[in-house]
């Protein structure tokens, strides 16, 4: 309901503000990003990619509400209050899920970093997509994917063909002392780079069984289980 209301107001606001100087590029960006998301991203959903898009959508929606208020002031105020109330209620329902997500992080990713800090040390290399917790707690030579914190990762991926720019390729090329992989990543490494996979053994598994269900809301996470692989 929140999304439908915001979309209706955003479309109206974009149309009614199209004559504002300099605003057309923002509207074009919104349309292009929406097409990109629908046609190319499929069901992939990572919330941290969306803030710039969402910010402009909210500005357009606000403009739509303002325009509506000029013609129907009571209707505009009622809809604004309804939208705020629904958003507040949904936020309260979300809080327990956010708390459980953090519990999963504490039980899995933090523990992975602490474990590597005890067993890998600063002289050994680690490849992992999780550069935050793993890098902070392990104090190791972290080569992350996609190279946000590691120049070695960045240059390795930049020199690879586009189809090979993956976490698995980093393990294949760099042959780190340790690799931190999710179950699907571990299986994919065994499938695509079997010779590399044979050089590693599962040293430790970190897993959380916390379920992300609350009041009919459900979230999924790919971060509830990590394998720590050690090169033999």
């Amino acid at each position: 309901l929140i999304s439908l209301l915001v979309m209706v107001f955003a479309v109206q606001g974009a149309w009614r503000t199209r004559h504002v100087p300099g605003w057309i590029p923002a509207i074009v960006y919104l349309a292009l990003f929406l097409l990109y998301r629908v046609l190319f991203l499929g069901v992939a959903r990572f919330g941290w990619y969306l803030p710039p898009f969402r910010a402009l959508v909210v500005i357009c929606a606000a403009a739509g509400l303002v325009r509506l208020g000029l013609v129907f002031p009571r209707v505009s105020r009622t809809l604004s209050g309804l939208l705020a109330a629904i958003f507040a209620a949904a936020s309260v329902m979300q809080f327990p899920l956010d708390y459980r997500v953090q519990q999963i992080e504490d039980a899995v990713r933090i523990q992975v970093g602490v474990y590597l800090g005890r067993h890998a040390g600063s002289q050994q290399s680690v490849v992992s997509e999780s550069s935050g917790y793993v890098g902070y707690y392990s104090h190791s030579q972290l080569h992350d994917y996609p190279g946000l914190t590691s120049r070695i990762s960045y240059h390795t991926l930049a020199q690879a063909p586009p189809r090979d720019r993956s976490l698995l390729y980093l393990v294949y090329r760099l042959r780190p002392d340790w690799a931190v992989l999710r179950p699907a990543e571990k299986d994919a490494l065994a499938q695509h780079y079997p010779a590399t996979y044979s050089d590693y053994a599962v040293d430790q598994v970190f897993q959380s069984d916390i379920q992300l269900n609350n009041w009919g809301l459900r979230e999924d996470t790919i971060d509830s289980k990590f394998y720590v692989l050690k090169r033999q």
Side-chain angles (χ1 to χ4, degrees):
L1 181 57
I2 295 171
S3 298
L4 287 174
L5 286 173
V6 170
M7 284 190 290
V8 169
F9 292 136
V11 171
Q12 181 194 41
W15 175 255
R16 293 184 176 276
T17 58
R18 67 190 186 278
H19 298 303
V20 174
W23 189 237
I24 286 294
I27 297 175
V28 171
Y29 164 77
L30 287 174
L32 291 177
F33 187 90
L34 189 60
L35 289 174
Y36 163 71
R37 181 162 172 76
V38 171
L39 298 179
F40 296 100
L41 293 187
V43 297
R45 181 180 68 88
F46 296 101
W48 49 88
Y49 296 138
L50 298 178
F53 172 76
R54 286 174 173 166
L56 289 176
V57 168
V58 169
I59 291 174
C60 286
L65 276 169
V66 170
R67 296 285 181 172
L68 180 64
L70 296 177
V71 182
F72 305 104
R74 291 186 178 180
V75 173
S76 178
R77 287 194 294 268
T78 300
L79 288 176
S80 298
L82 177 64
L83 185 60
I86 296 174
F87 182 82
S91 297
V92 171
M93 295 172 67
Q94 184 73 25
F95 290 158
L97 291 181
D98 292 337
Y99 174 70
R100 292 174 190 175
V101 167
Q102 188 58 53
Q103 286 182 307
I104 294 174
E105 299 287 356
D106 294 345
V108 180
R109 275 202 262 216
I110 290 181
Q111 298 308 314
V112 168
V114 172
Y115 181 82
L116 289 173
R118 293 172 180 168
H119 296 84
S122 60
Q123 301 304 314
Q124 294 187 317
S125 57
V126 177
V127 164
S128 169
E129 184 272 336
S130 303
S131 59
Y133 285 131
V134 174
Y136 179 81
Y137 286 100
S138 70
H139 304 289
S140 61
Q141 297 180 26
L142 177 66
H143 305 310
D144 74 289
Y145 175 82
L148 300 176
T149 65
S150 168
R151 291 183 180 272
I152 293 177
S153 293
Y154 174 81
H155 290 298
T156 300
L157 293 171
Q159 294 169 5
R163 66 179 181 275
D164 291 332
R165 293 171 184 169
S166 68
L167 173 64
L168 310 179
Y169 182 79
L170 279 181
V171 178
Y172 163 71
R173 287 292 297 172
L174 300 181
R175 298 295 178 99
D177 298 300
W178 303 78
V180 179
L181 303 176
R182 299 174 178 87
E185 295 164 348
K186 173 179 172 292
D187 295 341
L189 180 66
Q191 178 182 355
H192 296 291
Y193 302 102
T196 301
Y197 181 76
S198 64
D199 291 338
Y200 290 84
V202 176
D203 186 78
Q204 192 63 262
V205 180
F206 294 89
Q207 183 175 359
S208 173
D209 296 324
I210 295 174
Q211 300 297 313
L212 298 179
N213 299 309
N214 184 65
W215 293 343
L217 294 180
R218 175 180 174 83
E219 286 192 6
D220 294 319
T221 178
I222 62 174
D223 298 325
S224 60
K225 186 175 183 178
F226 280 88
Y227 289 92
V228 178
L229 305 183
K230 184 178 181 180
R231 184 160 55 85
Q232 302 302 298

